[in-house]
Amino acid sequence: MLQEKKIILGITGGIAAYKSAFLISQLKKLGADIWVVMTKAATSFITPLTLQTLSKNKVYIDLFEDSSSFIPKHISLNENTDLILIAPATANTISKISQGIADNLLTTLVLSSKTQKVLAPTMNENMYNNPIFQENMEKLKKMGYLFIEPEYGRLACNKEGKGRMANIDKIIEEVKQVLINDNLPLKNRKILITAGATREPIDIIRYISNRSSGKMGYALAKEAKRLGGEVTLISGPTFLSSLEGVAMIKVDTALKMKEAVTREYNDKDIIIFSAAVCDFRPKKVYKGKIKKREENLSLELIENPDILRELGSEKKGKFLVGFAAEDSDNIKSAIIKLREKNLDLIVFNNITEVGAGFEVDTNKIKIITKDETIKEFPLLTKQEVAQNIFKEIIKNLPSAN
Ligand code: CTP
C-alpha cells in the first residue's frame, strides 16, 4: 500500500520512542521506505541499531557527522521524501519547530523541507495543556502541519492524563490517509479560499460589518482538503475554529484581505471568493472613541476595492469562483457578476429564503458555469453544498476537459 513511499521517521526523546520499533516494522510491511532521524535524547530510549535493523537503512542522528557526500545531510535526506513523520514528538521539538529553530539534524531537516509533516505528540499532561505549548502547536497547525492527538492514559510520570502517544494503528491510518491519496481529484492543486465578513473600523472600538459567519467558506476549505488539495484559507473574524491541515491567514478589513489575496494568488490554481467583503468603509477612522454628543453624527463611506473584480481582470489562468448573495430570485444579477468579474463559476443564493441566509448551517444554491448553464440544488447543509460546488469545479477544471 505504501510501495515507493519514502518516509522520514523523526524520533525524539520520549518514553514512547520504544514504540518506534513497532511503527517501523508495520510501515515496512506496507512497503514504505523508512529513513530514521533521531535526536540525541531519543537514543537514550531506544538504540539506533534496533531501528537500523528494522528500517534496513542507516539511522541518522548527527548533523555534522562525517559523510562522503558534499551535499548536506538535511538536503540529501529530504530528496524525494513523501512524508516527514515525527513520532514521538516531544514538546521541546514541536516548540523548536514552531519557532524555526534548527539546532539538530531533525529540526534542520524539517525547516528545510516542503514535504507534508505529521506529528504524534507525547508528553506530561500539564506540558500538553500549557498555553505556551498549545500556542506553538496551533501555529504549526495553521501552517498545515498535521497532529495526531495524544491519548488519555497512564503517563511516564505515573499519573493518568492526556499525553500518551496515539496508538500505532492510528498513526498508520493517518500516514495512509496522507500518502494514499493519489486518486483524489484535487491532489497537487493549490486552492485559495476567502471566508467570513470583513470589519471596517469607525473608531478604536466600533466597526461596520455584515452577518456572514464564515461557515460556507470553512466548509469549502474542509472539503477541498478532503479531496486532496493544498488549501489556504483567508478568513475575516469568525467564531469558527481553525481547520486541520489548512493554512490560515486571519485578516479584518477589506484592504487587508485584498493584500493577503494578492500575495497568495500567484501560486494557486483555484481561487474561491466566498467572503462577504464590505463594499464600503468609513473614510475617516476616528482616533480613540467617538463620544456621545447632542447633534447627529454622519459617517462618510468610501468604496472598498472589489478584490475579485480586480484579480479577475488579470486572471492569469486561474480557475475563479465567486459568490452572489442576492436579496431576490433574480439570477440575472449573478450572471452579470460572472461575466463582469471574468469568473469560471458563480454560486448564487437568495439570502431572503429560509435556511439560505447568513449565520445558518444550511444553504440553497444555484451554480452557474461560464457557459451560463444553471444547476439548481435543494436546501442542504453547508458541507453538502461545499461538496456540490467542488463537484462542479472539478468537472469544469481545464485538465478535466
Ligand atoms: N467581492 C470582492 N470584493 C468586494 C466585494 C465582493 O471580492 N469588495 C466578491 C465576493 O467575495 C463575491 C463576489 O465578489 O465572490 C460578489 O459579491 P457580492 O457582494 O454578491 O456582489 P458585489 O459585486 O459586491 O455587488 P452587490 O453588492 O452590488 O450585489
Side-chain angles (χ1 to χ4, degrees):
M1 272 172 127
L2 297 176
Q3 221 61 257
E4 288 175 26
K5 301 288 181 195
K6 176 179 170 186
I7 300 173
I8 291 181
L9 175 63
I11 304 176
T12 66
I15 180 66
Y18 81 89
K19 295 183 186 167
S20 310
F22 303 102
L23 183 58
I24 294 171
S25 115
Q26 297 237 27
L27 287 169
K28 290 290 289 179
K29 268 189 207 148
L30 293 169
D33 183 19
I34 308 293
W35 292 80
V36 175
V37 176
M38 301 174 83
T39 61
K40 274 227 169 68
T43 61
S44 305
F45 293 93
I46 188 162
T47 71
L49 183 61
T50 307
L51 305 176
Q52 187 162 304
T53 311
L54 289 166
S55 69
K56 314 240 177 316
N57 278 321
K58 182 174 160 52
V59 169
Y60 292 86
I61 304 158
D62 190 357
L63 185 58
F64 302 109
E65 186 193 346
D66 279 347
S67 157
S68 49
S69 167
F70 64 90
I71 303 170
K73 235 177 281 119
H74 59 283
I75 305 296
S76 59
L77 267 171
N78 260 329
E79 263 169 35
N80 304 321
T81 296
D82 297 290
L83 177 76
I84 296 183
L85 168 67
I86 307 184
T90 56
N92 183 43
T93 292
I94 294 169
S95 295
K96 281 198 288 190
I97 294 171
S98 77
Q99 304 304 314
I101 293 171
D103 64 346
N104 60 31
L105 180 58
L106 182 60
T107 49
T108 310
L109 202 112
V110 170
L111 193 64
S112 58
S113 157
K114 286 186 174 170
T115 311
Q116 174 73 62
K117 287 129 197 136
V118 175
L119 291 85
T122 174
M123 66 201 72
N124 160 278
E125 189 177 32
N126 289 346
M127 285 168 89
Y128 187 73
N129 291 330
N130 189 312
I132 301 174
F133 173 72
Q134 285 292 327
E135 195 180 310
N136 291 339
M137 185 166 65
E138 269 312 301
K139 185 174 164 191
L140 291 174
K141 279 186 183 173
K142 282 178 192 156
M143 290 174 170
Y145 286 63
L146 297 174
F147 281 81
I148 311 172
E149 255 199 83
E151 289 169 1
Y152 190 90
R154 184 152 291 277
L155 304 174
C157 53
N158 218 18
K159 282 187 186 148
E160 296 267 324
K162 187 177 175 181
R164 278 167 71 100
M165 185 170 84
N167 79 47
I168 302 293
D169 289 345
K170 206 163 162 203
I171 297 175
I172 302 269
E173 260 326 292
E174 185 69 31
V175 169
K176 280 198 218 158
Q177 222 177 44
V178 174
L179 291 179
I180 313 175
N181 61 1
D182 286 349
N183 296 326
L184 289 178
L186 293 180
K187 178 142 170 81
N188 297 327
R189 302 271 191 184
K190 291 191 169 132
I191 298 129
L192 181 64
I193 298 169
T194 70
T198 64
R199 278 183 187 171
E200 312 300 328
I202 299 169
D203 63 13
I204 53 162
I205 54 168
R206 302 176 177 101
Y207 55 80
I208 296 173
S209 190
N210 59 61
R211 287 172 48 207
S212 168
S213 61
K215 285 179 178 171
M216 193 62 246
Y218 278 61
L220 284 163
K222 200 169 163 192
E223 178 63 7
K225 177 77 203 154
R226 197 185 67 82
L227 295 171
E230 205 178 296
V231 190
T232 304
L233 181 62
I234 299 178
S235 171
T238 72
F239 293 106
L240 305 171
S241 335
S242 52
L243 299 167
E244 290 268 301
V246 169
M248 275 291 285
I249 300 173
K250 290 191 177 168
V251 295
D252 48 10
T253 64
L255 292 180
K256 288 207 184 115
M257 184 170 276
K258 181 185 166 188
E259 200 182 293
V261 174
T262 312
R263 198 176 55 236
E264 292 292 319
Y265 188 85
N266 281 341
D267 72 333
K268 302 295 182 296
D269 306 300
I270 302 166
I271 298 110
I272 307 176
F273 286 75
S274 74
V277 184
C278 290
D279 288 331
F280 296 93
R281 68 177 184 276
K283 183 172 181 187
K284 175 178 170 194
V285 180
Y286 287 80
K287 285 195 188 107
K289 179 185 166 203
I290 302 172
K291 302 297 282 180
K292 203 165 14 198
R293 59 183 90 187
E294 295 278 294
E295 72 273 23
N296 288 337
L297 173 72
S298 299
L299 288 175
E300 190 180 347
L301 300 180
I302 55 170
E303 208 179 334
N304 268 329
D306 186 324
I307 311 170
L308 182 51
R309 184 184 293 266
E310 284 184 22
L311 291 167
S313 69
E314 290 186 38
K315 192 111 181 192
K316 296 181 181 164
K318 313 292 181 187
F319 193 92
L320 281 189
V321 178
F323 271 71
E326 306 294 342
D327 59 4
S328 73
D329 259 332
N330 179 13
I331 201 153
K332 269 213 180 105
S333 170
I335 295 174
I336 291 168
K337 285 174 192 171
L338 174 84
R339 285 184 205 149
E340 290 188 345
K341 299 194 187 195
N342 201 12
L343 309 180
D344 298 283
L345 187 152
I346 196 158
V347 181
F348 163 92
N349 67 331
N350 175 356
I351 49 168
T352 63
E353 261 189 78
V354 180
F358 292 125
E359 296 164 324
V360 289
D361 291 322
T362 51
N363 205 354
K364 188 164 184 289
I365 60 156
K366 290 188 176 119
I367 294 179
I368 311 159
T369 38
K370 211 175 175 160
D371 57 6
E372 297 182 12
T373 52
I374 302 167
K375 213 171 195 175
E376 196 170 342
F377 297 85
L379 186 71
L380 296 167
T381 66
K382 284 190 172 162
Q383 209 53 58
E384 289 166 324
V385 170
Q387 284 171 17
N388 286 324
I389 292 172
F390 270 106
K391 268 185 206 152
E392 287 307 309
I393 291 175
I394 290 160
K395 250 195 254 164
N396 286 281
L397 277 176
S399 59
N401 291 336

